[in-house]
């Protein structure tokens, strides 16, 4: 069975996209099963999306600004929403951190 290495994806794109890892450190070693990704309606990687979340969410400064404008209850609701949808990790671009 083919696997996608999150660590490999991150390392191959880190410099080019100025990525920073923001999920728990041990999750970078997670292997995603290709059949799970192929059978899913989720994209492998993409910008922050609550409606159709990606396996790996990329947060740029626009995404961080949006999250920072939410009140505490709304922010928690959004973060819980992502956590329930098999999300594998978050990447931040251009030093964008919440």
């Amino acid at each position: 069975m083919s696997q996608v290495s999150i660590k490999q994806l991150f390392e191959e794109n880190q410099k080019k996209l100025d990525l920073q890892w923001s999920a728990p450190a041990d999750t970078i070693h997670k292997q995603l099963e290709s059949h799970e990704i192929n059978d899913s309606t989720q994209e492998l990687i993409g910008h922050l999306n609550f409606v159709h979340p990606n396996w790996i969410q990329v947060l740029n400064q626009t995404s961080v600004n949006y999250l920072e404008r939410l009140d505490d209850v709304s922010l928690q609701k959004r973060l819980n929403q992502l956590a329930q949808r098999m999300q594998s990790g978050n990447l931040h671009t251009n030093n964008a951190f919440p």
Side-chain angles (χ1 to χ4, degrees):
M1 211 174 309
S2 295
Q3 294 181 329
V4 175
S5 165
I6 292 176
K7 182 177 181 179
Q8 183 178 352
L9 282 173
F10 176 75
E11 289 174 348
E12 288 176 355
N13 294 286
Q14 182 178 14
K15 192 171 188 176
K16 177 174 56 176
L17 299 175
D18 192 21
L19 298 175
Q20 304 290 322
W21 187 260
S22 65
D26 61 334
T27 60
I28 198 166
H29 300 291
K30 185 173 181 180
Q31 299 285 320
L32 300 175
E33 299 293 339
S34 293
H35 74 276
E36 290 178 357
I37 295 167
N38 293 336
D39 293 344
S40 171
T41 59
Q42 295 171 264
E43 296 293 328
L44 175 60
I45 189 167
H47 288 285
L48 181 65
N49 188 330
F50 293 102
V51 177
H52 302 287
N54 306 291
W55 286 80
I56 300 170
Q57 300 275 5
V58 177
L59 281 75
N60 59 12
Q61 192 59 50
T62 302
S63 302
V64 171
N65 291 344
Y66 166 76
L67 294 172
E68 287 178 338
R69 286 192 305 267
L70 295 175
D71 61 71
D72 290 344
V73 172
S74 297
L75 177 60
Q76 192 60 51
K77 180 179 176 183
R78 290 293 193 189
L79 295 177
N80 288 340
Q81 192 176 11
L82 289 177
Q84 293 172 359
R85 296 203 174 166
M86 298 173 25
Q87 179 193 9
S88 295
N90 294 316
L91 302 175
H92 292 234
T93 62
N94 303 321
N95 296 317
F97 285 94

